[in-house]
Amino acid sequence: MAEVSLHKLNKRFEAFHAVKDVDLHIRDKEFMVLVGPSGCGKTTTLRMIAGLEAVSDGEIRIDDAVVNEVPPMDRDIAMVFQNYALYPHMSVASNMAFGLKMRKFQKADIEQRIKRAAGILGIESLLGRKPRQLSGGQRQRVALGRAIVRDPKVFLFDEPLSNLDAKLRVQMRVELKKLHERLAVTSIYVTHDQVEAMTLGDRVVVMKDGVVQQVGEPLELYNSPANRFVAGFIGSPAMNFADVTLAGGNGRLWAEAPGLRIGVPGPIAARVNGHSGKSAILGIRPEDLRVASPADPAELCFEVEVEVVEQLGSEILLDTRAGNSLFVASVDPMLRTKVHEKLRLAINPDRLHLFDAQTEAAI
Ligand code: ATP
């Protein structure tokens, strides 16, 4: 059982402020993913939890104990790195035993732990090999094994799948998920890949420039992003954004831009009432756009010109333009259309997002 709490956690590298006032509570057995673009401070946050990086300000607690000054060895944490960090001259079994020997575990206990971890990971037949005799996926399993044998309170993962090819990454992602279900150990996982974050995380922390932007369950982030950054980061292909003016007319609110006039649906209009006459950012996901049918209300439709047609088999991604605004639409793969053709798109009114033009916060 282990909870991890970060209170106003800060990291400064001389003048550079890499992690800013991070407050986070990771629950017992939770799989928490830190995600964000390169340089956002996620690895630094993880390394502070591991004890590999000193804390500039703030507090890290594991359960009720403040661990800021506790050496990494004594934090009861096991970390899995992107580059596996296996000792090349040691066999798989010795690599897995190493941390336990350092901690003066009994030989019989070490052997039993290795056997159990190897069984869980399906690497029993590899125990005598050296790392160079293993594939990338096998090496990553050994790195996981080395963490599992420790039976730690908390697992920390630093982009553990990013050295694997795309297919293996998907396979290992599934294995990690099963592993977490089986071991039920509190886990903190760093990645820049939002698909990994969405599929693995019980909850996800989105970071930018050292600051937490939003913490939530994957669908919460997808459905109700707190700001434009989270809206654009979570979801693939990314959400479309258009600079619009909110204007009242005919008893309702419209989002307007050159070549675009969309009726803001009632519940959203009620929420953004104070913003009438102001500029805003309209957000709509590609999957919430479709080719309009005659039954679609006119105020939810707009005309676009097709600029690129990307046939993906299961869907077509249409890159389109309405005036100055660009929209990617995910449409029926049976649609037959060509570049420069004009189409009418309809939006799903329940899934329109608006963001403040200045603060970029959701409104
Ligand atoms: P990536 O996915 O590229 O690893 P990240 O979100 O994990 O990115 P960090 O490694 O946490 O980012 O780095 C955050 C910021 O702190 C970056 O701008 C980085 O250049 C800076 N940084 C990290 N370590 C140091 C250091 N030892 N000295 C100075 N600056 C550092």
Side-chain angles (χ1 to χ4, degrees):
M1 132 112 208
E3 298 180 341
V4 179
S5 313
L6 313 180
H7 301 280
K8 297 261 169 285
L9 192 66
N10 282 274
K11 179 68 189 181
R12 287 181 203 86
F13 294 105
E14 292 167 9
F16 184 71
H17 200 169
V19 175
K20 299 172 189 161
D21 282 337
V22 169
D23 276 314
L24 209 53
H25 179 80
I26 299 137
R27 301 169 191 143
D28 183 38
K29 301 187 178 59
E30 189 170 35
F31 200 115
M32 182 69 106
V33 179
L34 309 185
V35 69
S38 183
C40 72
K42 51 196 189 297
T43 298
T44 304
T45 303
L46 197 75
R47 287 172 57 82
M48 283 194 280
I49 299 171
L52 301 173
E53 201 75 74
V55 171
S56 303
D57 243 318
E59 208 173 73
I60 302 173
R61 284 173 183 266
I62 299 178
D63 292 331
D64 286 331
V66 177
V67 298
N68 288 35
E69 304 302 329
V70 176
M73 273 281 273
D74 301 329
R75 291 195 185 190
D76 206 357
I77 272 176
M79 189 150 168
V80 180
F81 299 90
Q82 171 180 352
N83 60 5
Y84 325 128
L86 299 177
Y87 298 108
H89 57 287
M90 286 187 196
S91 68
V92 166
S94 303
N95 263 287
M96 286 165 74
F98 187 77
L100 300 178
K101 280 189 184 153
M102 295 277 288
R103 288 172 177 80
K104 310 260 186 277
F105 279 65
Q106 297 293 315
K107 192 160 177 271
D109 188 13
I110 294 177
E111 276 168 15
Q112 206 211 332
R113 283 168 182 250
I114 291 176
K115 194 165 167 230
R116 171 177 171 263
I120 290 173
L121 295 164
I123 54 171
E124 297 100 321
S125 62
L126 307 177
L127 288 173
R129 290 203 201 167
K130 297 274 166 59
R132 71 184 139 75
Q133 297 168 311
L134 302 174
S135 70
Q138 289 168 335
R139 278 179 216 174
Q140 195 48 278
R141 270 188 208 103
V142 177
L144 285 172
R146 201 174 39 182
I148 292 171
V149 291
R150 296 261 319 279
D151 200 9
K153 271 187 169 176
V154 182
F155 281 126
L156 302 181
F157 298 97
D158 189 6
E159 306 238 12
L161 306 185
S162 47
N163 276 359
L164 307 177
D165 67 46
K167 201 169 161 199
L168 196 53
R169 206 154 57 218
V170 174
Q171 193 185 325
M172 286 295 286
R173 201 169 76 203
V174 174
E175 284 187 29
L176 270 180
K177 194 144 177 121
K178 287 185 186 159
L179 193 66
H180 180 67
E181 258 169 40
R182 175 158 180 188
L183 300 177
V185 173
T186 310
S187 300
I188 310 173
Y189 186 104
V190 160
T191 179
H192 61 270
D193 179 346
Q194 59 92 22
V195 177
E196 250 173 49
M198 293 288 280
T199 50
L200 282 171
D202 293 321
R203 284 190 301 157
V204 176
V205 183
V206 182
M207 292 183 72
K208 180 188 169 222
D209 298 335
V211 178
V212 170
Q213 304 290 306
Q214 190 171 3
V215 184
E217 291 177 14
L219 269 187
E220 205 176 323
L221 300 185
Y222 175 85
N223 289 330
S224 312
N227 58 34
R228 177 189 173 144
F229 178 79
V230 176
F233 194 79
I234 299 288
S236 176
M239 186 184 281
N240 299 294
F241 297 106
D243 294 326
V244 295
T245 303
L246 297 175
N250 302 339
R252 63 175 309 168
L253 191 69
W254 300 84
E256 296 179 342
L260 195 69
R261 188 167 194 252
I262 293 174
V264 178
I268 303 177
R271 216 166 55 226
V272 301
N273 221 356
H275 289 73
S276 180
K278 292 191 186 157
S279 39
I281 303 159
L282 177 140
I284 187 89
R285 294 194 185 278
E287 53 273 35
D288 298 323
L289 286 168
R290 61 176 183 279
V291 176
S293 76
D296 284 311
E299 71 270 21
L300 298 178
C301 300
F302 57 102
E303 186 171 283
V304 295
E305 183 176 332
V306 176
E307 294 195 330
V308 178
V309 180
E310 296 177 87
Q311 174 61 265
L312 300 181
S314 60
E315 61 177 338
I316 293 176
L317 294 181
L318 291 181
D319 289 64
T320 70
R321 173 184 290 278
N324 304 328
S325 315
L326 301 175
F327 292 93
V328 175
S330 161
V331 300
D332 189 324
M334 302 309 283
L335 178 79
R336 292 293 162 258
T337 185
K338 294 196 297 290
V339 172
H340 302 310
E341 209 167 83
K342 296 234 166 35
L343 285 177
R344 277 177 78 68
L345 296 181
I347 65 163
N348 177 349
D350 300 328
R351 306 198 54 89
L352 181 143
H353 301 264
L354 287 171
F355 304 94
D356 187 287
Q358 266 76 49
T359 65
E360 301 197 344
I363 49 179

